[in-house]
Amino acid sequence: KIFPNKTGTKYVCIDNLGKGFLYNPINELVIPMDNESELTNIIWDQEDSNLFVGVNKGNTTIYTFYIIHNSLQGPYVRVMKEYSYIEDLDSDKVNPITTTLDKGCYPFYLSGGYLSYFIKSTKEIKGVILNSHYWLFNWRENGDSDDGHKKYFMQNYQLCRYWNCLKSAKLLNEKDQVDYFEKLGREALKNLNIDIAGESFRLAKNISLVLTVDQLKKENEKKIILGHIAAILGEEDLAQELFTESSQPEKALELRIDLQDWSIALKLAKEYCPGKEPFISRRLAYQYETQGNVQEAMKLYETSMIDNKNEFINKVDDIDVNDIDIHNQNCIAGLSRSSFRLGDTEKGLIKAQ
């Protein structure tokens, strides 16, 4: 079965097992919906082009779906769930939020989260607010409770209506405000909404992230922006992949150096920045030494030595003779320590002198 939206720019396809897939005919992208229950019908919202519902075989259970076009991992379809508080986001046991209809009801129209259906027995047309949108219709702003503010926040959070999230989070107590603003900022970053992320971190008084996000606004290459976002969100492997695919792959090296991940940094240096290889190799040697892998540390200290200083300086920018002298002294000190630890006292004394 195929269910196009009203403009024909998006289709939901349901296979013979009731599994759904979103199809974009413009770029021929197919995205699985990951629906757990069998679906037989799809109804697109007439106001929000990214919103649609899936209906089960008996027309009694309605599931809400929302399309995210821009995210760190690419476009995907979100199944809206029964999240009431931000703590629920860390649980994988939260069920999809559903709207229930009586038997003999046939849903046929959706607009702004309001579902119209036909009752066969009485020949009537009635409507119901989707449970995924309940708080959007019933939130009382200043007159609501903290619990109401949080539930309104969570429904808007899932629908990517981030300005509404900001509005409700401002009404929470001071402690909860920080947590909700932080969570919103990270979600906005994940979905590439940099303006909302910056405003959220500002309200959370997270100055370091405010400054970091402001720097993103000055960048104009997508892969680099995505790489920085991945790094902020703690997805270092993805960040490295994005940086290496960009016009500035050395940023992947900078990331690993900041993380003191010397083994990966050394591999990246060999490929993208050979001038930093000896210095990173020395850092890795010291790491091996402190971990007790003295034999391997000694090999790295030896290969890290820079013998021809002038030739090296001519090849590498921002390095002078003093930097190389300090580097070589640290290598010799490492060799001396390693020799002593391996029982080669004579070599250790020679290096120490």
Side-chain angles (χ1 to χ4, degrees), residues 125-303:
I125 292 177
K126 289 190 176 182
V128 62
I129 298 168
L130 295 175
N131 284 333
S132 58
H133 287 62
Y134 175 85
W135 286 97
L136 275 65
F137 284 83
N138 292 282
W139 185 54
R140 301 192 306 275
E141 299 193 32
N142 293 332
D144 221 315
S145 64
D146 261 16
D147 199 59
H149 299 325
K150 291 175 181 178
K151 289 177 178 177
Y152 178 79
F153 177 99
M154 293 310 303
Q155 290 199 341
N156 281 286
Y157 178 96
Q158 293 187 77
L159 292 166
C160 298
R161 301 181 184 183
Y162 298 137
W163 288 111
N164 288 345
C165 292
L166 286 173
K167 193 195 313 182
S168 62
K170 289 176 182 176
L171 298 174
L172 295 171
N173 64 67
E174 189 172 344
K175 180 185 178 301
D176 285 339
Q177 274 189 15
V178 173
D179 294 337
Y180 276 73
F181 285 135
E182 281 277 351
K183 183 64 77 172
L184 177 60
R186 292 182 179 278
E187 176 69 8
L189 267 186
K190 180 182 173 183
N191 292 327
L192 313 187
N193 194 323
I194 294 174
D195 289 335
I196 288 289
E199 179 65 10
S200 299
F201 292 134
R202 185 187 67 80
L203 291 168
K205 297 182 174 64
N206 191 330
I207 304 304
S208 63
L209 279 180
V210 170
L211 296 173
T212 302
V213 170
D214 282 344
Q215 289 299 313
L216 291 180
K217 295 178 182 179
K218 300 174 184 177
E219 184 55 62
N220 53 23
E221 185 177 339
K222 184 177 180 180
K223 291 283 187 182
I224 293 177
I225 294 172
L226 292 176
H228 283 302
I229 290 174
I232 293 169
L233 297 176
E235 299 188 35
E236 291 86 6
D237 291 343
L238 177 59
Q240 178 183 321
E241 180 184 336
L242 289 163
F243 284 140
T244 54
E245 292 173 354
S246 75
S247 64
Q248 300 178 52
E250 64 275 9
K251 287 190 176 292
L253 174 59
E254 293 171 9
L255 170 69
R256 291 300 177 180
I257 290 174
D258 289 342
L259 294 170
Q260 297 187 4
D261 195 342
W262 303 116
S263 57
I264 296 178
L266 184 58
K267 294 176 184 176
L268 291 168
K270 288 178 179 179
E271 187 171 356
Y272 300 113
C273 196
K276 291 187 178 180
E277 187 179 342
F279 301 95
I280 294 171
S281 181
R282 189 196 80 227
R283 296 292 190 96
L284 181 58
Y286 181 72
Q287 186 179 78
Y288 283 158
E289 183 188 344
T290 57
Q291 291 171 348
N293 190 354
V294 184
Q295 193 75 49
E296 198 63 36
M298 196 161 184
K299 291 178 185 177
L300 282 175
Y301 280 129
E302 288 173 345
T303 57

Side-chain angles (χ1 to χ4, degrees), residues 6 45-49 110-113:
K6 64 180 179 181
D45 193 280
Q46 300 303 301
E47 288 186 15
D48 189 338
S49 62
L110 179 65
S111 181

